[in-house]
Structure formats: structure tokens, C-alpha cells
Amino acid sequence: MSNTTPRLPTYFISHGGGPWPWMKKEMGHAYDKLEASLADMPRQIGRTPAAILMVSAHWEEPAFTVMGNPRPPMIYDYGGFPAHTYEVHYDAPGSPELARRVQSLIESAGLPVRIDPERGFDHGMFSPMAAIYPKADVPVVQLSLRRGLDPAEHIALGRAIAPLRDENVLIVGSGLSYHNLRAFGPQARDVSKAFDDWLGDTALRATGERRNERLLQWSAAPAARIAHPREEHLIPLMVAVGAAEDEAGELVYHEEGFMGGIAVSSYRFG
């Protein structure tokens, strides 16, 4: 790869609920703003990456686990949606070669890692990807979270895989900046905004150790445990930040009326 090619940024995206791209008739315009932000990512990047490494909130393993399947199947990891959403397909290819490269980088950092040769795509991957690359023509490899959801470990994971940015691989953390399924809608307006304001201040106005320290102490932030009773939808942010540790963040999506009233955001780093 040419040294003149700029390194790719990293992203933390809010991926929305369930199979929303296939439910436009049922959901009306609820996802228009999120969809537009995701669809704009190729323009922001300025070129087509060789592959995408996606860290989804919907996959946790005892050790960091990399998808090694060359033709990943679909995992319909949601419930209560219309029948047709259990037949949707996002047929992007996998990349066993990239999986082995990711495994090597993580091993070199002294972190536990394995390859799963069977794993398929979950909706934390295929729902946003249907908006980002609707033709499913860019290879995608998923990388799991590690059980325990230790922020420091996931920042270290991001640091370990950062060289991929110079190899034309786009690193995307896929979660939600607010994820409390029991507190959606207008009643969550104030608490979601309180946490979102803190998150934006952390992502956009700090870098390096200062940003890391704030993220390590995320649970002390305003309304943190209301926004994330369990933090699996926030932890992909740690990976995106770790892979762009000393680089500034930029807000690429923000909405304060999402799903009836909550504040949500997505960020790009580098």
C-alpha cells in the first residue's frame, strides 16, 4: 500500500433497532436521519475500503473472536418483528484472510483471541450495512466483544487493530449511544440528553489519555446507568476510540427525537 494513501478513520455508529431497513412501511420516517448519516459514510471516507471490520454489540465471547466464515449466514437475533424480516439477506462476503490478520494483531498485543469459522452476520452488522453499502459488495468481518465488557480491554483491542487503518480496512463499532429498552420514548428525553451531552463532550473535546480516562469512568457520567443498564451497546465505542487514540472525534449523526424522544449520536475518529 502506498504511503501517500491517508489512513481510514474509525466509526462508532448507532445501529438502530432490529431489522429497521426492511420495515420502512411499518416505521414511516422514524429512521430517515439515521439512514442518511449511514448512507453518507462512503462519501466521508472518500474511497471504497478493501474490507470492513465490524465490532457489534450483539456478539460477546469469552475471548475476542473473529469471524472466519467466507460466506457468513444470517443471524436473526431479534424477536417480535414481521415474518418477512426473518427472511432478509445481506450477502456481503467474509474474508478469512482478514480474519487471520486480525487474529495476528490481537495475539501480538497479548490479548486472548480465536477464529470462529461458522459465525454469521447479526443485525448489529447487517442493519446499518444495508444503508452504508446497500449492494453488499464490500467484504465484512465481525469481531466480538469480550465478556466482562471491560472498557480498558476494549480500548486495548482498538489499539491492537489500529494498523488495519493503514491497510484500507474500515473499523466500525456498532452499538447505540443510548440503550435502555425499558425507558424509550418521551420519558427518556432528559436522561438520554444528559448522557449524550457527556458522551459528546468526551468524544469530541478530549483525545489520548484524557479521553481514555473519561471512558474508563463512563459509569459515573450523568444518567449513565439509565442510558446503559448493561453496557454492551456502548463498549464498541471503546474499540473505535482505541484505534484512533490520539485523534480528534467528529459528530456525524445526532438526533434528539429518536424513537419518540431519545438523544442519540454517532462519531467518527481520525
Side-chain angles (χ1 to χ4, degrees), residues 118-159:
E118 305 297 330
R119 170 78 185 188
F121 293 138
D122 62 58
H123 83 267
M125 175 277 186
F126 63 74
S127 288
M129 285 300 298
I132 301 168
Y133 289 110
K135 294 182 180 178
D137 51 358
V138 177
V140 182
V141 169
Q142 284 194 223
L143 171 61
S144 80
L145 302 176
R146 190 180 183 200
R147 285 181 195 161
L149 303 176
D150 178 8
E153 274 195 339
H154 289 81
I155 291 173
L157 172 66
R159 199 178 292 132

Side-chain angles (χ1 to χ4, degrees), residues 89-246:
H89 272 263
Y90 185 83
D91 292 325
S95 174
E97 179 184 12
L98 175 57
R100 289 189 293 270
R101 172 66 174 143
V102 172
Q103 180 187 36
S104 173
L105 288 169
I106 297 172
E107 280 179 346
S108 295
L111 297 169
V113 61
R114 60 179 286 269
I115 289 179
D116 183 335
E118 305 297 330
R119 170 78 185 188
F121 293 138
D122 62 58
H123 83 267
M125 175 277 186
F126 63 74
S127 288
M129 285 300 298
I132 301 168
Y133 289 110
K135 294 182 180 178
D137 51 358
V138 177
V140 182
V141 169
Q142 284 194 223
L143 171 61
S144 80
L145 302 176
R146 190 180 183 200
R147 285 181 195 161
L149 303 176
D150 178 8
E153 274 195 339
H154 289 81
I155 291 173
L157 172 66
R159 199 178 292 132
I161 61 175
L164 296 172
R165 298 174 57 202
D166 293 314
E167 299 168 20
N168 205 25
V169 175
L170 182 67
I171 297 169
V172 179
S174 175
L176 273 169
S177 59
Y178 176 93
H179 192 258
N180 184 341
L181 298 181
R182 295 185 178 182
F184 263 51
Q187 74 272 26
R189 187 180 309 275
D190 291 343
V191 292
S192 66
K193 187 177 188 314
F195 183 73
D196 195 80
D197 286 350
W198 175 88
L199 193 64
D201 194 56
T202 299
L204 305 176
R205 294 177 180 84
T207 56
E209 282 305 313
R210 180 166 170 261
R211 187 166 61 194
N212 289 351
E213 282 303 316
R214 285 175 66 99
L215 290 174
L216 292 177
Q217 304 300 322
W218 76 270
S219 62
R225 280 298 180 190
I226 301 174
H228 293 279
R230 190 174 186 275
E231 57 265 40
E232 80 287 343
H233 275 71
L234 181 66
I235 293 295
L237 169 67
M238 315 300 177
V239 186
V241 165
E245 201 163 18
D246 296 314

Side-chain angles (χ1 to χ4, degrees), residues 18-20 22-27 76 78-88:
W20 61 267
W22 293 272
M23 294 180 60
K24 292 182 179 177
K25 187 171 78 171
E26 294 90 344
M27 306 195 85
Y76 303 113
Y78 40 75
F81 288 94
H84 71 87
T85 64
Y86 297 89
E87 299 174 4
V88 302

